[in-house]
Amino acid sequence: MDSGEKRGRTAGKAKPPARELPGGLLDSPEHRPDVSFPIVGIGASAGGLAAFEAFFSGMPADAEPDMAFVLVQHLAPDHKSILPELIQRYTRMRVFEVTDGIEVRPNCVYIIPPNRQMAFLHGRLELLRPAEPRGQRLPIDFFFRSLAQNQRERAIGVVLAGTGSDGTLGVRAIKAEGGMVMAQKAGSTEFDGMPCSAIATGLVDWQLLPVEMPAQIIAYARHAFGLLAPLCVEPAPKTQSALKKIFVLMRAHTGHDFSRYKMRSIHRRILRRMSLHQIEALDGYVQYLQQTPQEVDALFADLLIGVTSFFRDPEAFEVVETQIIPQLVADRPEGDAIRVWSPGCSTGEEAYSIAILLQEHMEAVQKRHPVQVFATDIDGRAIATARAGRYPASIAADIAPERLARFFTPEPGGSAYYIINKSIRDLLIFSEQDVCQDPPFSRLDLISCRNLLIYFGGELQQKVVPLFHYALNPRGVLFLGASESIGGFTDLFVALDGKAKLYRRKEDLPGATRRAQDWFLPSRPVRHRSATKAAFPTTMPLRELTEQAILQQIAPAGAMVNGLGDILYLFGRTGAYLEPTPGEAGVNNIIKMARQGLQHELSRSLYEAGVSKAPVRSPGLRVKSNGQFCRVNLSVHPVTTGPVATPQSPLFLIILEEAPALDSDRQNETLAKGGGGAGAGAGAGAGAKVGSGELDAEARLVIVEEELRAKDDFLRNMQEQLATANEELRSSNEEMQSINEELQSSNEELETSREELQSLNEELATVNSELQAKVGDLSQANNDMNNLLAGTGIATVFVDCDLRILRFTPSAAQIINLIPSDLGRPVAHIVANLVGYEAVNFSVLRHD
């Protein structure tokens, strides 16, 4: 959905007051189009001439359509177009090649001139010189967007034959404003790239042959702008009652409640669906929804139309890039994750934009942090598109060439699509989530919720803004759309940049967290769980009860970990051997949590078990716990069964058992406790104790020296292996960098050549179509001339400058002995059939 920017009027003129209509609709100057009749934008490229001819051939011959048609085609910039003359043959409407500022009138056809971009503004067509280089221009998208912004729900877009994806973003813009879109049926033309790209968005209302489109457009316009107009002034109770029934049907079918969304947008899109099916009353549409579940899905999709783009609102994203992103990275300890949430992400362009900004800045400052960008939406189709990361080539209009080359890869096979690079795709997590019902993400550094709140009613906005405050970290940032604000929640957020709609979270206030929790906790009741917890023995089978009781008595402490040591499951009392690491709680790694004396052996045993695929045991380890040392038997067992354990993601069972203390440990403990307890009169007994203590000290010293020697050997081996691996990696990295630079250079050259060839091919196809039409005209004129000469009965012989025969009429063959093989012979060689004449005098009419 788009915000629908309000257009101002000429300065100095007072605005008429807005009139509120039933259902929450506003009849105000900002919502009225500049013209009172529908305007149909038609886009085509290669193969478009035949489609244009078929389209206008299908126009009714006995009535005026009462709408204007604007044709946008990819034309060769250095070739004069004869398209207006060709189109004029198939329609009785007046056909114009657009001049700058021409006023659009009904029952007229307007055609874009070569080497120009065209936009619709306040009832006129404005021409601009293209800023993009040849091969990267998207005139159809450019015009469709301007038509949607100006005409809103009266905009109608038609995508005909052509290659590439021009028109796809324009289709999204028209649908976001409540307009109607058609596309030529796939497979009905040799060049179906543009129609197929538009159809792939899922937003096309009809897929028809060009000759079938005019009748459907006229029927739609008659209902949308004629018969349905009185629905806007129905009594409010009747309108509200019908809308409530529609909301009930949608909630039952989709699980989502739209009753608290803004009525104006909802009502407008419902009326548009009624126009498509030519239903004239809301009650009739309610009945149609009950009988046609597919229409409920179609209405749901219409309500979720999202208009988004990469780096939308460039000024706002510039503030994010220069002020917000640097703060997020600078104020963060090394290795601490950056968490971002993009609710209502639609097809993911803005979420990817934020990920690109984070990646660019971290590389610029040479800092690395884990990045998690959570992108959510209730539209499953949009989430699927976002997950694929596949976008039409028209995104080049919104992305700088450097970023496009760096973070996107052209799809192989010559299709007009880009694929987001894996380095950016791996930073995002897409999921279906309803921000109005589901619990939010937490501990977030940035929330980018742009152009979503504008569709919520007041009640929803009052609930969602505190929810964002709850989800953000202290000093977290909220990024809203150009037409959105935090409303009255100045106690929760402080404005960082009012124009860019950036707000910083204030510290927790009493009741703020409670407001957010009261919103999402009660709305999702726990399913398949008893309301009251029953007694333990009555809810568990006897076998499980017995097994758990035995495990609690005899099972040692342990953990299930993956190959990196990340803990997947803990059992038993592990507190004596593991302790949480300080900092933010995230993924717990057992090696980092191991207590003194256990960490080294645990790391070594986990490595050996992974290499040997066999259990590894380390008995009698001295582990310090609660200020004292104890003996621990460590064993690491590879897990080879179960669907989770695979060669790509091995699992290990780590068992920690308390071992009996050694005699030396007991003596040391006794000596430590005895300390200076011996008196001066201990005599010989004291001397014996001292001797025993010296022996124990020597034994402990030998043990410590052996442990240190073993650790030194282990560290030395690891350092040697690490140095060797680093050298190999450095050499491989240099080779890969060299290859990558060569491939990137070749890819850029090939991509440039491909774009230029594609553009040239489209222009040549257009010129070829026009020339073919011209050849047809000349052939028809030649046939007419031959028929005329043959019908007059005048003997005529056509010769060249050397008096060689070029052609002749049938009457000439009766006077002179001419046969088809005489073409090219001198006329003097021909003998006449005239009686009494030995020679023939010829009257030669020369044409220079």
Side-chain angles (χ1 to χ4, degrees):
M1 293 184 177
D2 193 5
S3 59
E5 299 177 2
K6 296 183 178 180
R7 293 174 292 277
R9 298 301 183 188
T10 305
K13 294 184 179 180
K15 294 183 180 180
R19 180 167 58 94
E20 185 172 358
L21 298 176
L25 291 173
L26 286 178
D27 180 21
S28 64
E30 289 83 358
H31 300 107
R32 297 175 193 151
D34 293 313
V35 293
S36 59
F37 52 88
I39 296 179
V40 183
I42 307 177
S45 180
L49 180 59
F52 285 148
E53 293 175 352
F55 180 90
F56 287 105
S57 297
M59 296 294 294
D62 55 348
E64 298 289 352
D66 294 328
M67 58 185 70
F69 300 88
V70 183
L71 276 56
V72 184
Q73 189 177 26
H74 294 179
L75 300 171
D78 52 358
H79 178 75
K80 179 175 173 56
S81 175
I82 59 173
L83 188 59
E85 291 83 355
L86 299 176
I87 297 298
Q88 186 66 76
R89 302 174 185 173
Y90 297 92
T91 179
R92 63 180 184 177
M93 294 184 290
R94 299 181 63 187
V95 180
F96 301 93
E97 185 174 73
V98 174
T99 56
D100 192 24
I102 188 173
E103 182 180 359
V104 178
R105 298 183 179 275
N107 304 316
C108 293
V109 180
Y110 301 89
I111 300 177
I112 188 173
N115 200 30
R116 288 291 183 272
Q117 297 271 46
M118 183 169 61
F120 182 82
L121 181 66
H122 304 314
R124 297 181 180 275
L125 294 172
E126 307 292 341
L127 298 179
L128 301 91
R129 289 188 176 275
E132 301 82 4
R134 186 176 179 179
Q136 300 180 14
R137 299 169 185 173
L138 304 170
I140 302 174
D141 276 333
F142 190 84
F143 178 73
F144 278 8
R145 282 176 167 178
S146 69
L147 185 65
Q149 293 169 359
N150 202 266
Q151 288 298 99
R152 298 173 65 83
E153 68 274 3
R154 289 183 178 270
I156 299 174
V158 178
V159 180
L160 297 180
T163 59
S165 61
D166 193 10
T168 300
L169 297 181
V171 165
R172 291 185 178 276
I174 291 176
K175 290 289 289 184
E177 296 294 344
M180 188 270 285
V181 174
M182 284 184 176
Q184 185 169 347
K185 185 179 294 184
S188 64
T189 175
E190 180 183 357
F191 308 97
D192 61 355
M194 280 170 40
C196 288
S197 180
I199 293 170
T201 63
L203 304 177
V204 173
D205 296 303
W206 282 293
Q207 303 175 37
L208 302 172
L209 297 175
V211 71
E212 301 170 346
M213 292 179 175
Q216 190 65 60
I217 292 175
I218 293 173
Y220 166 80
R222 183 170 63 89
H223 280 76
F225 313 130
L227 297 179
L228 286 181
L231 288 178
C232 295
V233 293
E234 283 187 358
K238 184 177 180 180
T239 302
Q240 294 296 332
S241 176
L243 289 175
K244 288 179 181 178
K245 294 175 183 177
I246 293 175
F247 294 145
V248 169
L249 293 174
M250 292 190 65
R251 186 176 61 183
H253 188 79
T254 67
H256 298 289
D257 184 9
F258 287 89
S259 62
R260 289 178 288 186
Y261 282 54
K262 286 185 178 177
M263 286 298 103
R264 184 178 65 83
S265 298
I266 299 294
H267 197 176
R268 187 176 66 180
R269 297 184 186 276
I270 290 175
L271 293 181
R272 200 192 74 84
R273 296 300 308 176
M274 294 170 61
S275 302
L276 295 177
H277 298 290
Q278 301 181 16
I279 299 174
E280 301 179 6
L282 278 172
D283 290 337
Y285 187 65
V286 172
Q287 185 177 1
Y288 183 71
L289 286 173
Q290 292 175 311
Q291 299 171 351
T292 315
Q294 296 84 355
E295 178 61 18
V296 181
D297 292 328
L299 177 59
F300 178 69
D302 256 18
L303 296 177
L304 297 180
I305 293 172
V307 172
T308 182
S309 61
F310 287 94
F311 303 99
R312 189 182 185 190
D313 298 331
E315 296 82 5
F317 267 94
E318 184 178 358
V319 177
V320 173
E321 179 182 6
T322 57
Q323 299 182 22
I324 305 303
I325 299 295
Q327 292 179 6
L328 293 181
V329 177
D331 300 340
R332 192 167 305 278
E334 189 71 25
D336 194 11
I338 299 174
R339 293 165 59 87
V340 181
W341 181 23
S342 177
C345 69
S346 187
T347 48
E349 286 90 334
E350 293 192 10
Y352 280 121
S353 300
I354 293 176
I356 288 173
L357 294 181
L358 286 168
Q359 183 78 359
E360 287 180 338
H361 184 75
M362 287 192 299
E363 292 179 359
V365 299
Q366 297 182 354
K367 294 184 69 174
R368 297 297 303 171
H369 295 280
V371 175
Q372 295 176 322
V373 180
F374 304 99
T376 63
D377 201 286
I378 62 175
D379 187 356
R381 297 181 310 169
I383 289 295
T385 301
R387 283 197 182 109
R390 180 175 181 266
Y391 297 98
S394 50
I395 63 172
D398 302 316
I399 305 176
E402 296 79 10
R403 282 176 175 157
L404 189 66
R406 181 180 179 186
F407 298 110
F408 294 84
T409 304
E411 190 175 53
S415 64
Y417 283 88
Y418 283 100
I419 305 296
I420 193 81
N421 288 354
K422 188 176 184 298
S423 61
I424 298 298
R425 175 61 185 87
D426 291 344
L427 303 181
L428 286 91
I429 302 171
F430 292 99
S431 65
E432 292 187 41
Q433 186 207 42
D434 190 347
V435 70
C436 303
Q437 299 181 15
D438 297 311
F441 295 91
S442 60
R443 297 180 289 108
L444 300 167
D445 302 295
L446 173 65
I447 295 179
S448 176
C449 181
R450 311 191 70 236
N451 302 308
L452 176 64
L453 297 181
I454 57 173
Y455 298 103
F456 289 169
E459 181 183 356
L460 275 183
Q461 292 187 8
Q462 294 293 317
K463 300 292 185 179
V464 171
V465 175
L467 190 73
F468 291 158
H469 179 271
Y470 168 82
L472 284 168
N473 280 330
R475 298 185 59 79
V477 177
L478 176 62
F479 186 21
L480 298 180
S483 301
E484 299 169 330
S485 69
I486 59 172
F489 292 103
T490 54
D491 58 330
L492 302 181
F493 293 93
V494 59
L496 294 177
D497 190 309
K499 184 177 181 181
K501 302 297 181 179
L502 288 162
Y503 303 89
R504 186 179 299 282
R505 179 188 188 271
K506 287 186 177 181
E507 296 301 322
D508 287 332
L509 297 175
T513 302
R514 185 72 262 165
R515 273 187 288 178
Q517 293 176 344
D518 288 344
W519 169 238
F520 66 84
L521 288 180
S523 63
R524 306 293 284 187
V526 180
R527 299 179 181 178
H528 310 296
R529 186 179 296 176
S530 175
T532 58
K533 190 173 182 180
F536 175 75
T538 61
T539 59
M540 185 176 294
L542 184 60
R543 176 182 174 181
E544 293 185 16
L545 175 63
T546 305
E547 290 176 350
Q548 289 201 7
I550 294 174
L551 289 174
Q552 290 176 0
Q553 296 298 322
I554 65 174
M560 182 72 72
V561 301
N562 61 16
L564 299 177
D566 297 333
I567 297 175
L568 305 178
Y569 188 82
L570 287 172
F571 58 93
R573 303 183 65 178
T574 59
Y577 317 111
L578 306 175
E579 62 178 347
T581 56
E584 181 178 352
V587 177
N588 293 318
N589 189 278
I590 194 168
I591 298 175
K592 295 180 179 179
M593 295 178 62
R595 292 184 180 272
Q596 179 181 344
L598 180 62
Q599 191 173 47
H600 167 67
E601 287 297 329
L602 181 58
S603 176
R604 182 189 63 80
S605 300
L606 191 61
Y607 172 77
E608 291 183 2
V611 173
S612 64
K613 303 294 189 294
V616 176
R617 294 177 174 84
S618 301
L621 302 178
R622 296 181 73 246
V623 179
K624 187 175 183 179
S625 177
N626 298 324
Q628 298 180 353
F629 286 92
C630 63
R631 293 288 176 175
V632 177
N633 293 332
L634 167 67
S635 59
V636 180
H637 303 263
V639 178
T640 59
T641 60
V644 180
T646 63
Q648 293 76 21
S649 57
L651 301 181
F652 299 90
L653 176 64
I654 297 176
I655 298 177
L656 300 165
E657 296 179 290
E658 185 175 357
L662 300 178
D663 293 340
S664 59
D665 294 336
R666 297 191 187 97
Q667 292 175 3
N668 292 337
E669 185 177 354
T670 302
L671 290 173
K673 290 181 179 179
K689 289 181 180 180
V690 171
S692 175
E694 291 177 354
L695 292 176
D696 290 338
E698 292 178 358
R700 289 199 304 272
L701 182 60
V702 170
I703 293 173
V704 171
E705 288 178 350
E706 290 178 354
E707 291 179 353
L708 289 175
R709 191 178 299 109
K711 290 182 178 180
D712 288 341
D713 294 339
F714 176 78
L715 289 176
R716 190 179 302 108
N717 292 333
M718 292 298 296
Q719 288 174 352
E720 292 176 355
Q721 295 177 11
L722 182 61
T724 303
N726 284 338
E727 291 178 1
E728 295 175 354
L729 288 175
R730 189 179 299 108
S731 176
S732 300
N733 184 51
E734 292 175 355
E735 294 177 1
M736 295 301 296
Q737 282 181 346
S738 176
I739 295 173
N740 182 59
E741 290 175 359
E742 294 175 0
L743 290 175
Q744 186 173 358
S745 176
S746 300
N747 182 60
E748 292 175 355
E749 294 175 359
L750 290 174
E751 179 63 20
T752 302
S753 300
R754 186 188 69 83
E755 292 175 352
E756 293 176 352
L757 289 175
Q758 181 177 348
S759 175
L760 182 60
N761 183 56
E762 292 179 359
E763 295 167 0
L764 289 175
T766 302
V767 173
N768 183 56
S769 299
E770 296 180 354
L771 292 179
Q772 284 181 345
K774 198 71 174 177
V775 168
D777 294 343
L778 293 175
S779 177
Q780 182 65 37
N782 185 58
N783 292 335
D784 294 341
M785 181 63 70
N786 289 336
N787 293 333
L788 175 63
L789 293 175
T792 57
I794 301 174
T796 308
V797 179
F798 296 88
V799 296
D800 59 12
C801 296
D802 297 326
L803 298 182
R804 296 180 182 274
I805 299 173
L806 297 177
R807 65 178 63 88
F808 55 87
T809 62
S811 300
Q814 299 174 4
I815 301 174
I816 307 173
N817 294 326
L818 291 174
I819 59 177
S821 61
D822 290 331
L823 297 180
R825 295 179 58 189
V827 70
H829 293 180
I830 306 302
V831 178
N833 294 330
L834 298 175
V835 179
Y837 287 87
E838 296 180 355
V840 178
N841 293 324
F842 292 92
S843 175
V844 179
L845 179 62
R846 180 173 180 176
H847 293 276
D848 292 330

